[in-house]
Amino acid sequence: MPTDTPLRVLIVDDHVGIRLGIERLIEAEAPRMRSVGAVATPAEALAWTHLHQPHVVVLDVDLDGEDGLALIPLLHRAARCSVVVLTSLQDPRVAERARLLGARHCLHKAAPAGELLACIEATQQLADTEPGALPVNAGGLASYSAGSKHP
């Protein structure tokens, strides 16, 4: 991805407050990043991914009772995108399943905003150079992005 092209991010979460909060966080990182949408359902996620071709999809595990992780292979078929999974669950099996399905990273929803931004950026940078190389991190350390406006 050229460095002058904003990183296009799609947010998929069934909680409107989370969706809007992450969308504002992404938009505050302009011109490095921009949101291409914030949607609530698997059907919307697939439609928006196909239409907007995001570089990164930030995906909730539980979408109002539907399995968000099951979307990962479908998202990859709809666009050449990386998936960052967000979860409020503490079960390490969630991160393992996310990785097996093709997610680049798995973060806890309580992670600092700067960690999420760094994860999004690092995930895409690595995808551009070494597809499949980034390990899943279930809320552990991540490098903070030097240009981020958030802690």
Side-chain angles (χ1 to χ4, degrees):
M1 181 179 74
T3 57
D4 59 343
T5 302
L7 187 62
R8 295 185 313 273
V9 181
L10 175 65
I11 300 103
V12 184
D13 197 296
D14 59 320
H15 293 98
V16 68
I18 299 286
R19 270 196 320 270
L20 295 178
I22 294 172
E23 186 171 44
R24 287 185 188 121
L25 182 69
I26 299 299
E27 290 297 330
E29 293 298 309
R32 293 182 320 117
M33 294 181 194
R34 74 176 179 90
S35 169
V36 295
V39 300
T41 69
E44 291 172 325
L46 291 172
W48 280 71
T49 298
H50 182 72
L51 181 64
H52 296 286
Q53 297 293 299
H55 297 114
V56 178
V57 176
V58 177
L59 177 65
D60 187 13
V61 170
D62 180 9
L63 298 172
D64 196 27
E66 293 189 61
D67 181 7
L69 297 182
L71 278 176
I72 296 170
L74 302 174
L75 293 168
H76 286 151
R77 283 197 285 273
R80 185 175 181 263
C81 63
S82 298
V83 176
V84 173
V85 171
L86 277 182
T87 182
S88 57
L89 304 173
Q90 299 288 337
D91 188 341
R93 292 175 295 183
V94 171
E96 176 63 17
R97 182 166 174 249
R99 184 189 65 74
L100 290 172
L101 288 169
R104 295 269 185 196
H105 209 80
C106 186
L107 285 174
H108 195 276
K109 285 186 177 180
E115 188 172 340
L116 175 58
L117 292 170
C119 176
I120 291 168
E121 192 164 56
T123 295
Q124 183 55 37
Q125 287 172 353
L126 191 55
D128 287 344
T129 58
E130 298 179 47
L134 187 65
V136 171
N137 177 343
L141 297 176
S143 299
Y144 287 87
S145 182
S148 177
K149 300 170 190 160
H150 302 281

